[in-house]
Amino acid sequence: MKLKINRSMIALWIILALTFLVTGLVDSYFFSIPSIGITLQLAAPLGLLAAGQTIVMLTGGIDLSLAMIATGAAYIVSVKSESGLLISLAYALIFCVVVGAVNGIAVGVFGVNPLIMTLSMSAILIGVFTVGVSTFLRGSSRMPDLLITASSGLILDPITWPLIIWIIVGGFVHFSLTRTGFGRVIYAIGDNAKAARLAGVKVWQVQIAVYVSCAILGGMAGIMLGGQSGAVAISLANSYLLPSVAAVVIGGTSIMGGMGSYSGSVMGALILSVLSYLLATLNSSEAFKQLVYGGIVLALAWVYSSISERK
Amino acid sequence: MKSRKSMKPLFAAATSVALVLGMSLTAAPANANNYVIGVSNGWAGNSWRETMVCAIKAEATLSKKVSKVLVSSRNTDAAGQSADVRAFISQKVNAIIINPGDKDAINPALGEAIKAGIKVIAVDGPVSAPGAYIVSNDQKKYGAAGAEALAKAMNYKGNVLYMRGISGHPADTLRDEGFKSVMAKYKNMKVTKEVFTNWDWAKGGELAKQLLKPGKFQGVWTSGIDYPVVEAMKTNLRGKYIPLVGADNNEFLRQTKELASKGFVGIVVSNPAVIGGAGLKVALDVLDGKTVASESLLTPTAWTYKANKKEIDSSYFVGQEATFSSAVKIPGYTTFSPAQLFRCKAPQDSDDGARA
């Protein structure tokens, strides 16, 4: 088991190194220190989204409302920041906890299929925020300067604040999954929920905790995306939903649950970020770029599954 | 069995409610001061589109000629919009204002509406249905106006980062024609990089951060995804701003104002969401029997803070969100004040006394 995971991680490192080299050959500026800093800065919010998605997917679930949770948290922070940064962050936290808890209760207590539940939640949130923008959430959606710095501020090339935040939060997620009882029951539920319940695990409580954690991580990612844009639109994180799932799958977490790791998802997020840079610098048609992106993601998932299935 | 029995009165009640409803709808009078307007918007959850719908409502209320504005605003495609149009036909509206998601695919439904004597007005984008009226920003001139101002700001030389909208989208294609026709005039200006933002704020910001490098470009043209590019200039160019073409987004106006003293030249090209109000004006003119051109094109303006300080100052709304379309009036078409627009009330839910 141990050997298998190591072999997959080596494969992911090789893939990352290859995409890194190819990108550098296409655009030599990519190898420069500021450029590496920017790529890592852009990978940070995706890495946080993938952290949330990893936790949920390890239990055999998925969170399709993650992008709207991220957007919602960012929007709330931006609009409420006039009443103080901490208060606005508290509002966003409450929002994430409530939405995550509703997802978790529906999935864990009422047994709603996570795909259906979170897809509906996403649609509901779009509706709520569409109305909110002109009523209870009316106001300037500009991000406070402190959060702009936290999302894109440079410390010392190529180290940026978002990278530091990602390392701290990501380290905590990795530690929780690998070294704590909470982590172990997440894997146990994903592996066999019935067996976990018979062994005395209160599965529904874990499910709620999982969806709440996912929503909080998504909220952080959303605030970071908002900070990087300078202001928040209600479509802010839409285009990050599929990459958040793709990063986790490329990183080798099984969509059936019970197998995988956050370190794999980190690699997935880094590979996708380098890939995104590569596509941005290529001078080819948009259709071709989409084709390349889809093809590489598919190939990576295939390479990974064939490696990890080999004994 | 029992449940079927108990369903009967319920069914009867539902039928009678439906009948009464149907009658009240078919009874909607079509005389000159009691028009019913149907609005089909195929993209919900988008600030620009919300403002467009609010402009229709506000203008309808002020006109005192409209009794009801029925709005179908949802995320849908040509098939969904066709269904909306057919629903409006059965509701016997007098005019339909539609922001079409497709130029041709909604035509069969629109044709049925026109045949039924309903006036059809396409706003923001064209439809090819014969007999339909089109009210739209002149997208070709939109591309050209920004490009011309950019050329001037760049002193007619240097490399341009060209950030378009959605590949294949009709508005993007027209803007591209306008943009390139201007670029062709200036031999010392060159588009060295062309990308598509898909009109997505996060993607636009990401692309700008990946592509902007010190000294590589002397100017940027965007199809409206503007303010994240200014953020990217702060991080990537360490505050050495280069001229940027954007749209009338509230946050971009703020940046244009506040960063002018730091050497930033923002070029604000108008793409007013209140074009919905212009669509309503055209609808009323047609219903009143006035002669109206089948296509009304608005000419976009390109503002810089140096030349249009007054306009930019008065168009920026502190309390509005970042992507709010700040051009809140179209002279000759709209009559509402910003406050009336923000209230977003249709005649039937308005307390303006328009129907009194």
Side-chain angles (χ1 to χ4, degrees):
Chain A
M1 188 70 190
K2 190 88 182 163
L3 195 79
K4 208 157 74 181
I5 286 171
N6 283 345
R7 193 194 281 164
S8 329
M9 277 308 276
I10 291 167
L12 286 172
W13 274 108
I14 292 172
I15 292 164
L16 178 62
L18 278 176
T19 40
F20 187 81
L21 274 174
V22 170
T23 309
L25 288 177
V26 172
D27 176 20
S28 57
Y29 185 79
F30 181 65
F31 287 144
S32 75
I33 285 174
S35 173
I36 290 169
I38 280 160
T39 306
L40 288 171
Q41 172 199 324
L42 293 173
L46 179 59
L48 291 179
L49 287 170
Q53 209 66 269
T54 304
I55 301 175
V56 173
M57 283 171 74
L58 280 174
T59 66
I62 191 164
D63 192 346
L64 296 182
S65 60
L66 192 56
M68 263 324 286
I69 294 174
T71 304
Y75 204 86
I76 291 171
V77 168
S78 66
V79 172
K80 296 289 176 195
S81 60
E82 277 165 24
S83 42
L85 185 61
L86 284 177
I87 294 173
S88 67
L89 287 171
Y91 274 123
L93 181 66
I94 293 169
F95 164 75
C96 290
V97 170
V98 169
V99 174
V102 172
N103 278 339
I105 290 169
V107 172
V109 180
F110 298 107
V112 183
N113 183 303
L115 202 83
I116 304 298
M117 180 56 219
T118 56
L119 191 64
S120 319
M121 178 57 85
S122 179
I124 291 168
L125 291 178
I126 290 174
V128 167
F129 280 96
T130 302
V131 174
V133 167
S134 54
T135 52
F136 61 94
L137 278 175
R138 172 176 257 166
S140 162
S141 60
R142 187 177 143 65
M143 270 284 170
D145 287 333
L146 190 66
L147 290 180
I148 292 180
T149 305
S151 310
S152 56
L154 187 68
I155 302 170
L156 180 77
D157 253 334
I159 312 291
T160 54
W161 281 114
L163 180 65
I164 298 290
I165 293 172
W166 184 23
I167 290 172
I168 294 170
V169 176
F172 180 74
V173 170
H174 180 73
F175 176 82
S176 305
L177 284 175
T178 53
R179 296 272 187 276
T180 66
F182 180 57
R184 272 189 291 277
V185 291
I186 287 175
Y187 280 92
I189 290 172
D191 213 18
N192 189 334
K194 209 177 213 172
R197 190 163 56 239
L198 291 174
V201 177
K202 290 203 170 65
V203 175
W204 64 276
Q205 290 180 355
V206 180
Q207 298 268 35
I208 294 172
V210 159
Y211 279 92
V212 169
S213 313
C214 174
I216 293 173
L217 287 163
M220 289 171 144
I223 293 167
M224 205 177 259
L225 279 173
Q228 290 181 354
S229 297
V232 186
I234 52 172
S235 59
L236 177 74
N238 282 1
S239 56
Y240 281 77
L241 180 62
L242 289 181
S244 80
V245 176
V248 179
V249 173
I250 290 172
T253 295
S254 160
I255 51 167
M256 311 302 284
M259 220 180 74
S261 67
Y262 181 53
S263 46
S265 305
V266 170
M267 298 301 291
L270 288 174
I271 291 168
L272 286 180
S273 297
V274 176
L275 194 57
S276 152
Y277 189 103
L278 174 64
L279 293 184
T281 50
L282 277 183
N283 282 319
S284 53
S285 78
E286 197 62 12
F288 178 74
K289 286 182 188 177
Q290 295 292 334
L291 213 81
V292 170
Y293 186 82
I296 290 180
V297 170
L298 195 69
L300 289 180
W302 177 75
V303 165
Y304 186 88
S305 65
S306 61
I307 286 172
S308 55
E309 270 163 28
R310 216 184 295 151
K311 281 272 169 189
Chain B
M1 279 315 263
K2 204 178 173 188
S3 68
R4 187 183 283 176
K5 218 174 194 177
S6 63
M7 285 296 281
K8 252 184 185 170
L10 195 72
F11 182 70
T15 317
S16 52
V17 167
L19 270 175
V20 171
L21 261 178
M23 267 161 67
S24 68
L25 284 173
T26 48
N31 60 45
N33 295 318
N34 236 346
Y35 297 129
V36 179
I37 310 287
V39 178
S40 171
N41 168 33
W43 186 8
N46 171 280
S47 160
W48 196 95
R49 294 290 188 99
E50 299 300 322
T51 305
M52 177 192 83
V53 173
C54 287
I56 297 174
K57 291 180 177 175
E59 197 59 40
T61 303
L62 286 176
S63 75
K64 298 187 195 284
K65 288 181 179 175
V66 178
S67 63
K68 231 188 257 177
V69 177
L70 308 169
V71 180
S72 172
S73 201
R74 59 191 175 119
N75 286 316
T76 189
D77 54 6
Q81 286 198 296
S82 298
D84 289 346
V85 168
R86 294 198 169 101
F88 288 142
I89 297 173
S90 65
Q91 289 170 330
K92 298 213 184 317
V93 300
N94 301 103
I96 294 171
I97 299 175
I98 183 168
N99 187 325
D102 192 288
K103 193 178 174 189
D104 305 307
I106 315 167
N107 281 359
L110 292 176
E112 288 166 34
I114 293 165
K115 214 172 149 194
I118 297 170
K119 309 298 175 196
V120 170
I121 291 92
V123 290
D124 188 29
V127 291
S128 52
Y133 294 84
I134 294 159
V135 181
S136 162
N137 211 10
D138 190 328
Q139 301 297 0
K140 208 170 156 179
K141 283 189 185 153
Y142 180 102
E148 197 63 64
L150 181 66
K152 194 177 164 203
M154 290 170 66
N155 215 2
Y156 305 99
K157 59 173 188 275
N159 297 337
V160 178
L161 170 58
Y162 180 37
M163 304 182 79
R164 301 174 62 172
I166 292 174
S167 176
H169 190 286
D172 182 81
T173 311
L174 287 170
R175 287 179 181 185
D176 183 52
E177 275 178 42
F179 173 83
K180 293 212 168 123
S181 71
V182 171
M183 283 296 127
K185 286 198 300 188
Y186 304 114
K187 297 281 170 283
N188 295 327
M189 288 182 74
K190 212 174 147 199
V191 175
T192 48
K193 183 73 197 171
E194 179 175 331
V195 286
F196 289 90
T197 60
N198 292 345
W199 280 309
D200 180 303
W201 298 98
K203 190 180 177 195
E206 187 182 357
L207 281 168
K209 288 203 171 169
Q210 287 161 336
L211 296 171
L212 282 176
K213 290 149 203 177
K216 200 167 175 201
F217 301 103
Q218 284 72 47
V220 184
W221 186 97
T222 72
S223 197
I225 296 295
D226 40 32
Y227 64 77
V229 180
V230 180
E231 283 305 317
M233 285 184 195
K234 284 185 196 163
T235 53
N236 288 30
L237 309 182
R238 311 278 146 97
K240 284 198 176 118
Y241 297 103
I242 53 177
L244 170 68
V245 179
D248 49 17
N249 296 302
N250 207 35
E251 172 67 8
F252 184 57
L253 259 71
R254 192 194 63 80
Q255 290 170 329
T256 301
K257 269 161 65 87
E258 290 188 3
L259 297 175
S261 59
K262 293 187 179 162
F264 173 61
V265 179
I267 297 154
V268 178
V269 185
S270 64
N271 185 38
V274 292
I275 196 162
L280 187 100
K281 165 85 163 55
V282 168
L284 292 180
D285 283 353
V286 175
L287 285 170
D288 287 346
K290 292 182 192 162
T291 321
V292 178
S294 64
E295 195 171 31
S296 317
L297 290 180
L298 309 180
T299 305
T301 53
W303 291 341
T304 58
Y305 201 57
K306 208 171 156 190
N308 310 85
K309 185 174 181 305
K310 208 179 90 196
E311 288 91 337
I312 290 179
D313 281 341
S314 68
S315 296
Y316 171 63
F317 292 93
V318 179
Q320 284 293 335
E321 50 102 23
T323 63
F324 176 73
S325 171
S326 291
V328 290
K329 60 175 182 232
I330 303 173
Y333 285 98
T334 64
T335 55
F336 46 74
S337 67
Q340 281 163 329
L341 173 71
F342 298 156
R343 289 177 64 234
C344 198
K345 295 250 169 115
Q348 70 268 26
D349 47 34
S350 177
D351 42 14
D352 278 354
R355 293 186 66 206

